[in-house]
Amino acid sequence: MLSEEKHVLSILVDNQPGVLSRIAGLFSGRGYNIESLCVAETVDDNVSRLTIVTKGNQPVVEQVKKQLNKLINVIKVNELTGSRYIQRELALIKMNAKPETRAEILRIVDIFRGKIVDVGPEHYTIEVTGDEGKLEALLTLLKPIGIKEIARTGAIALFREPK
């Protein structure tokens, strides 16, 4: 049996209504799960970049890429997995912040190079960026203190420039 691993796809598409729906439909119609999805315009207002993280074995991902390339509004499909690329996520984390835990939260946030973006009498809201491992490590440390809410962007990624 072939092993399933995470694959990061960077897809350039026409910036038009319905494109995202067709791409998501391609995944769901074939029983593939999208673990993470981010979409935004590129430097060109007419082009958007979708960053999709999915899990599957290599033949499955190759099939998905072929199907994506057949869609009319898809300009280019790149698989970043296995190459040199930079990947980041953004997380907003709302914490219970009682007087006795505030210093500990600030210390942890500082270690992870995050920042406090909102403060209330009984809460902090933290902003942090990094790869999935960094965010998971931060969440592991903050969970026992009391996380109220989390919002995460999902992965965004670009190829690294050659040296």
Side-chain angles (χ1 to χ4, degrees):
M1 181 172 169
L2 295 170
S3 68
E4 285 197 350
E5 58 183 39
K6 281 189 181 181
H7 294 268
V8 180
L9 302 176
S10 179
I11 306 163
L12 295 176
V13 298
D14 294 329
N15 188 9
Q16 295 181 350
V19 175
L20 176 59
S21 176
R22 285 191 286 285
I23 289 173
L26 183 147
F27 276 81
S28 67
R30 286 158 182 77
Y32 307 135
N33 188 38
I34 295 174
E35 293 198 356
S36 169
L37 170 69
C38 264
V39 184
E41 285 182 353
T42 61
V43 176
D44 181 348
D45 295 349
N46 298 313
V47 177
S48 288
R49 178 183 309 278
L50 280 79
T51 305
I52 295 177
V53 178
T54 189
K55 223 179 225 181
N57 56 45
Q58 195 58 44
V60 166
V61 173
E62 287 301 321
Q63 184 63 33
V64 168
K65 286 172 24 185
K66 286 177 186 172
Q67 296 294 320
L68 285 168
N69 277 310
K70 289 181 183 178
L71 295 177
I72 215 157
N73 296 110
V74 171
I75 299 166
K76 187 169 186 174
V77 178
N78 287 308
E79 181 177 358
L80 301 175
T81 310
S83 8
R84 292 176 33 89
Y85 67 99
I86 301 162
Q87 179 177 329
R88 294 290 183 268
E89 290 186 36
L90 166 70
L92 294 174
I93 307 160
K94 191 181 294 181
M95 295 289 306
N96 290 317
K98 297 183 173 116
E100 62 272 15
T101 60
R102 285 180 178 255
E104 179 70 3
I105 293 169
L106 290 172
R107 188 181 64 75
I108 292 169
V109 169
D110 187 52
I111 290 169
F112 283 86
R113 295 190 182 112
K115 56 184 166 181
I116 306 295
V117 293
D118 188 41
V119 177
E122 301 249 333
H123 85 277
Y124 281 154
T125 301
I126 301 160
E127 173 188 309
V128 66
T129 60
D131 61 23
E132 182 182 12
K134 176 182 176 179
L135 295 184
E136 292 300 327
L138 174 64
L139 292 172
T140 299
L141 290 174
L142 292 176
K143 200 172 277 185
I145 299 170
I147 296 174
K148 286 179 154 183
E149 245 181 301
I150 302 172
R152 288 173 75 167
T153 60
I156 56 171
L158 289 174
F159 281 117
R160 285 188 180 268
E161 286 294 315
K163 290 188 177 185

